[in-house]
Amino acid sequence: MELKGYQYWSVPWKDGEFLHLLVKATRARNVLELGTSHGFSAIWMGLGLEETGGRLTTIEIDRERYDLARKHVSEAGLSQRVTCIQGDAHVKLGKIEGPFDFVFMDADKRGK
């Protein structure tokens, strides 16, 4: 995944490690990610949530990236901890229960 990161707008390795650390340091239990891409950051946060016993909900608008993220999350053994939702976060957010301890906003990189 790291080698194809540029293709999927993945977070850099160091950013993933930092997200992992933040989730653990804040003892987050309910985490939201907007902009899953192919699941790299979701896996890092999911691994941190293994320690806290928490869960991650991540939303991706692009069907191809969503499918790839679900595959990667499954291969990482985190399917029970990470819920991937496909669709527009503007619509999906109203249907997700909070509150959230930690939110990673990684969508709308172009600011549109």
Side-chain angles (χ1 to χ4, degrees):
M1 287 189 316
E2 185 180 15
L3 294 177
K4 291 187 177 183
Y6 69 90
Q7 180 180 351
Y8 298 106
W9 295 4
S10 178
V11 298
W13 184 277
K14 290 289 183 188
D15 292 2
E17 287 179 328
F18 187 60
L19 288 168
H20 179 257
L21 175 67
L22 284 174
V23 165
K24 291 188 340 181
T26 60
R27 305 301 302 160
R29 305 229 346 124
N30 196 16
V31 175
L32 174 66
E33 176 184 38
L34 304 176
T36 314
S37 189
H38 69 291
F40 193 65
S41 53
I43 290 169
W44 276 109
M45 290 185 286
L47 291 171
L49 290 164
E50 288 278 290
E51 185 173 309
T52 70
R55 296 204 34 83
L56 168 68
T57 301
T58 182
I59 304 172
E60 174 55 51
I61 196 168
D62 181 86
R63 177 55 135 181
E64 184 179 339
R65 289 191 303 253
Y66 162 81
D67 289 340
L68 196 53
R70 286 190 62 211
K71 176 181 178 272
H72 291 151
V73 165
S74 177
E75 288 173 351
L78 294 169
S79 294
Q80 298 301 315
R81 189 154 312 275
V82 177
T83 300
C84 298
I85 297 173
Q86 196 276 318
D88 186 335
H90 295 102
V91 175
K92 300 293 183 178
L93 276 177
K95 300 173 184 168
I96 299 173
E97 270 193 59
F100 295 98
D101 306 310
F102 187 92
V103 176
F104 179 46
M105 171 58 179
D106 196 30
D108 195 19
K109 288 181 174 48
R110 293 184 180 123
K112 293 182 181 179

